[in-house]
Amino acid sequence: MRSTSSRWLATERHHAEAVAAFLLATSLVPADKWSVPLGPNRWSPAQMALHIEQSYLVCVDALRGGPGMQPQRPAFVRWVGRTVMLPLMRLTGRFPQGVPAPREVRPDADQAHASLRD
């Protein structure tokens, strides 16, 4: 059953705006830069796009009863992340630099660079 509360509708609208902004941003990347990392030890735009796609797939799978992402840190560290770091990230809109992506959504460079933008 789908909620029609104003909060849910606002969340849906915000998500649709984020998806549109992402698609616009990827469309503006020149073809010759698509597979080029943004710097040393950084991902290419293709890897970033694949990471986001993989994140969606893992979350949808989890919503359907799949395993989702498996915990990689001790329970206390996960608790700190949920109760301190995540609210700070939401408040500031900033993501910590240098944090490795979970294994389940870490893009394979060859797979990402073989992908084509639609």
Side-chain angles (χ1 to χ4, degrees):
M1 187 164 128
R2 189 170 164 197
S3 170
T4 57
S5 72
S6 60
R7 185 173 174 188
W8 178 259
L9 293 173
T11 300
E12 283 184 318
R13 188 173 49 255
H14 179 73
H15 180 261
E17 290 168 359
V19 169
F22 170 75
L23 293 173
L24 175 62
T26 60
S27 74
L28 296 175
V29 177
D32 62 326
K33 302 287 187 197
W34 185 243
S35 297
V36 178
L38 299 180
N41 299 315
R42 305 239 359 239
W43 289 345
S44 68
Q47 287 173 288
M48 286 187 248
L50 182 58
H51 168 68
I52 291 171
E53 177 185 358
Q54 291 170 330
S55 298
Y56 267 85
L57 293 173
V58 166
C59 290
V60 167
D61 184 53
L63 289 170
R64 292 180 176 154
M69 290 189 209
Q70 299 305 306
Q72 302 296 321
R73 303 282 185 252
F76 177 73
V77 173
R78 295 192 317 265
W79 178 84
V80 169
R82 276 192 316 273
T83 58
V84 177
M85 297 305 294
L86 190 56
L88 281 174
M89 289 167 47
R90 287 180 180 149
L91 181 67
T92 64
R94 298 188 63 186
F95 195 85
Q97 295 279 327
V99 177
R103 282 184 218 129
E104 295 89 346
V105 295
R106 203 171 294 152
D108 175 79
D110 292 335
Q111 181 185 2
H113 299 159
S115 69
L116 299 174
R117 292 180 290 179
D118 292 326

